[in-house]
Amino acid sequence: MTFRAMVRYAVVLAAAIAFIEAAAAQTVVVLSSHGVRAPVERLMAQCTRAAGRQVSVTYGTSSSIRQRMTGGETVDAVLATTEVVDALAKGSQLDSSSRTPLGRAGIGLGIRAGVPRPKIGTAAEIKVTLLNAKSVAYAADGASRPHIERMFERLGIVNEMSAKALLEQGSTRAAERVVGGDAEILLTLVSEILPVAGLELLGPVPAEFQSYISFAGALAARASSRDAARAFIDCVAAPAAAPTFAELGIER
């Protein structure tokens, strides 16, 4: 390669890098909980237009989002459980003044599509159903886990459920165990059951065992695309988006 060609190559390479960096700077980077994944994906096109920029959303459990943020990851916005959002705001990773409620989801049971539907409407019925199941799956790091295991305690079936529980990292993997036939029942948020192909919502847990997990959005304290990220959160949280959230298991 001649000297002139090397110079030309270096100029082209520098221009390409500058273009990539500029494009990245124009992208709104969001971390989102699996709990609100379905409505966010459904609203993605219109909320991207509202933001006026490309939006990149990475999904995970709220606990993993907390770890990433406290580890110094640079993002523009977070959609997670209110517990995690509040903790990150207290730790100065999120802007507390930007906190925006998104809704709440209850805990339900999912089964593989087409299989018989056992009864779960009362404490006695759900106890029999859980004891009869050969295996149940739920997320080891999910926000619903403490409430699920508290229900086991109240039903007096902790030992039996411990022997048959398949704990997975995140509700997505737990759902895959049920769809694939490795587990008979999925225990997680209703909003993490309804969108999954191959799953059916058996129903919510009985009212006496029900707990709701609330979600909120907030800007990162060091957001580089602050206005666009604010517009994205406002779109997701808008009253017009409420029917989409309700259809997918999240009430406001």
Side-chain angles (χ1 to χ4, degrees):
M1 182 181 291
T2 66
F3 177 75
R4 181 175 295 179
M6 290 176 63
V7 171
R8 187 180 299 114
Y9 175 78
V11 170
V12 171
L13 180 60
I17 292 173
F19 176 80
I20 291 171
E21 290 178 344
Q26 295 298 310
T27 300
V28 178
V29 180
V30 180
L31 293 180
S32 174
S33 166
H34 285 304
V36 292
R37 179 171 185 164
V40 170
E41 289 186 336
R42 181 83 62 87
L43 297 164
M44 195 66 182
Q46 69 187 71
C47 292
T48 296
R49 289 194 296 271
R53 294 186 182 183
Q54 288 298 112
V55 179
S56 174
V57 183
T58 301
Y59 298 95
T61 62
S62 287
S63 60
S64 69
I65 290 172
R66 183 175 185 174
Q67 291 174 353
R68 292 172 70 164
M69 291 297 292
T70 55
E73 186 159 343
T74 300
V75 304
D76 294 302
V78 164
L79 311 177
T81 63
T82 53
E83 179 183 4
V84 166
V85 168
D86 291 345
L88 291 174
K90 186 175 181 180
S92 300
Q93 288 89 16
L94 295 180
D95 177 358
S96 60
S97 67
S98 69
R99 184 183 184 279
T100 306
L102 299 177
R104 67 176 192 169
I107 299 169
L109 284 75
I111 56 174
R112 193 152 48 97
V115 303
R117 299 176 62 87
K119 295 180 179 180
I120 60 167
T122 66
E125 288 173 346
I126 196 170
K127 181 175 182 177
V128 170
T129 292
L130 290 172
L131 289 175
N132 286 342
K134 294 179 180 178
S135 54
V136 299
Y138 56 99
D141 52 349
S144 58
R145 179 181 179 179
H147 307 289
I148 291 168
E149 295 182 342
R150 192 173 300 122
M151 178 177 68
F152 295 162
E153 291 176 6
R154 292 179 60 189
L155 288 170
I157 57 174
V158 171
N159 292 336
E160 293 89 342
M161 300 313 297
S162 295
K164 65 177 71 179
L166 300 177
L167 296 178
E168 291 290 339
Q169 183 179 9
S171 59
T172 299
R173 292 187 181 181
E176 289 171 353
R177 298 299 294 270
V178 178
V179 173
D182 297 325
E184 292 184 19
I185 292 175
L186 172 66
L187 287 160
T188 190
L189 298 180
V190 171
S191 63
E192 296 172 335
I193 297 172
L194 287 174
V196 181
L199 276 187
E200 291 181 359
L201 176 66
L202 183 57
V205 300
E208 62 197 279
F209 304 122
Q210 187 59 270
S211 294
Y212 291 89
I213 305 299
S214 296
F215 296 91
L219 298 176
R222 296 183 294 171
S224 60
S225 300
R226 190 175 183 85
D227 291 344
R230 176 73 271 173
F232 180 79
I233 292 175
D234 287 346
C235 177
V236 172
T244 298
F245 274 75
E247 181 183 346
L248 294 167
I250 301 175
E251 63 183 53
R252 290 186 176 170

